[in-house]
Amino acid sequence: MRINALILKALRDSKGVSGAELSREIGISRTAIWARINDLRALGYDIEASPHHGYRLLHSPPDVLHADDLLVRVGKRHFFAWDIRVFEEASSTNDLLARMAQEGAREGTVIFAETQSRGRGRLGREWTSHSRKGLWFSVLLRPDLRPQSATRLTITAAVALVRAINLQTQNNVKIKWPNDIFFGGKKVAGILTEINGELDRINYAIIGVGIDVNQTREEFSPELRTSATSLQIAADREIRRADLAVAVLSELDQACKRTYSGQFDAVAKEWSSYCSTLGQRVSIRQGERNITGIADSIDSEGALLVCTEDGRLETVVGGDVIFEK
Ligand code: BTN
C-alpha cells in the first residue's frame, strides 16, 4: 500500500495517532509523516494535530476522488489486489488502461479520470464526461474465459453497479439489456466492455463504466436531457462520488468472485431480477436485421433470447433495444 494510503488507514482506524506511532508503523521519519499530513491537508483532508491526541482525521474532503483513500476504503477483505489510480484528465480511461494492460498491468488495476476528452460509449458513440460530476473509470480483468463469454463480464459488472447505486442512493435503478442502467425511463449509467484475446482465450478485458452522478438537469445538453439523468436528480440530493466509487468497487469485487468461481448462473439470475427488458415486447437492430418479439431470458453466455412472432427463440448478442408498445 502507498504511504498516504497507510497514513489515511491509520487515521481512519483510530481516534488519534501520534507522529511517533505513525513513523514506527510505516517506517519513515516523523518529519516525512508531517510532510505527508500536509499533502493530505492540501487535498482537503481536515487533520487536527494536537499534543494530546496526535493526528486526528476530522473530515474527508467533500467530493474528491483520491486514489489512496479509495484503496483504504475498499478494504482488505477483497478478491482482487486493487491498484487504483486517479487522473485529472484522460482521453478515454478504456484506452489508457488498454495501453497499461499491454505493458503488463495486473488484474484489478482501476483508472478513474475526473474528465475525459474522448470518452466512448457502445457502438462508437461519444460519451460525455462532465468534469467531477460523474464516475468515469475502467477496470482491468484477466479472466479465464473464452471471448464468446465476455458478455458474462458485462452482466457481472451490471449487477455490481445496480447493487452499489441502490445501496448508496436508496433508489431502484434497473438494467436495460445489455448494459444500460436506467432510472425512471432515463439512462443513468453505461458499461463498455472491450476485450483483447485470441480465438479461444481472453488476454484481458476492460470494463469501462460511466455513471452520471451529480449533474443538474441543465448541465445535460438539450439532446441528452430527454434520455439521460443523474443520480442527484433521481435521489434529489448530492451524492458523494467517493462513497459510490468505494461501493461499486466493493460490489464488483464480490460479483467477479462469484463469476470466477463458477457461480455465474446465480449472478445471471440476480441480473434478471433487475432487468426491465425481460417480458417486454422489443425490437432490436442488429446491423441490417431487425429482430422483433418478446424478450424471454438470457442464456448462459449472457445473450438475450427473444421469442419471435413465429415462435422461434432468436439469440441476440448485441444491438440497441427499443421497447415496443
Ligand atoms: C455506453 O452506455 O454506451 C457505455 C458508456 C461507457 C462510458 C465509460 S466512461 C469510462 C470509460 N471510458 C470510456 O471511454 N468509456 C467508458
Side-chain angles (χ1 to χ4, degrees), residues 92-94 116 119-122 127 137 180 187 190-191 209-210:
S92 153
T93 53
N94 269 34
Q116 300 180 111
R120 286 183 285 112
R122 275 197 322 128
W127 181 266
F137 66 98
D180 290 346
K187 180 161 166 172
I191 302 169
V209 177

Side-chain angles (χ1 to χ4, degrees), residues 91-95 111 113 116 118-123 125-129 135-138 179-181 187 189-194 206-211:
S91 53
S92 153
T93 53
N94 269 34
D95 294 345
I111 289 188
Q116 300 180 111
R118 284 207 306 276
R120 286 183 285 112
R122 275 197 322 128
L123 308 170
R125 290 178 186 133
E126 186 187 328
W127 181 266
T128 308
S129 319
L135 289 178
W136 329 118
F137 66 98
S138 303
N179 59 4
D180 290 346
I181 310 294
K187 180 161 166 172
I191 302 169
L192 175 66
T193 303
E194 295 180 313
I206 291 179
I207 312 284
V209 177
I211 312 177

Side-chain angles (χ1 to χ4, degrees), residues 11 35 45 52 67 84 86 115 119 135 180 273 297 306 312:
L11 290 173
Y45 290 89
H52 289 307
I84 302 174
V86 179
T115 185
L135 289 178
D180 290 346
S273 74
S297 51
V306 177
R312 277 178 305 116

Side-chain angles (χ1 to χ4, degrees), residues 3-31:
I3 287 174
N4 284 2
L6 292 170
I7 294 178
L8 282 168
K9 176 162 173 28
L11 290 173
R12 285 194 195 283
D13 286 353
S14 71
K15 293 212 168 74
V17 53
S18 72
E21 280 171 296
L22 282 175
S23 150
R24 223 181 8 260
E25 265 178 41
I26 297 173
I28 59 172
S29 69
R30 287 170 63 178
T31 322

Side-chain angles (χ1 to χ4, degrees), residues 94 97-99 101-103 140-148 150 153 193-207:
N94 269 34
L97 192 54
R99 284 200 292 279
Q102 299 281 6
E103 287 159 13
L140 175 61
L141 301 179
R142 294 189 182 274
D144 183 14
L145 277 182
R146 291 174 307 132
Q148 298 87 315
L153 301 174
T193 303
E194 295 180 313
I195 57 167
N196 172 291
E198 290 149 36
L199 227 47
D200 57 350
R201 66 179 271 269
I202 291 178
N203 290 332
Y204 63 82
I206 291 179
I207 312 284

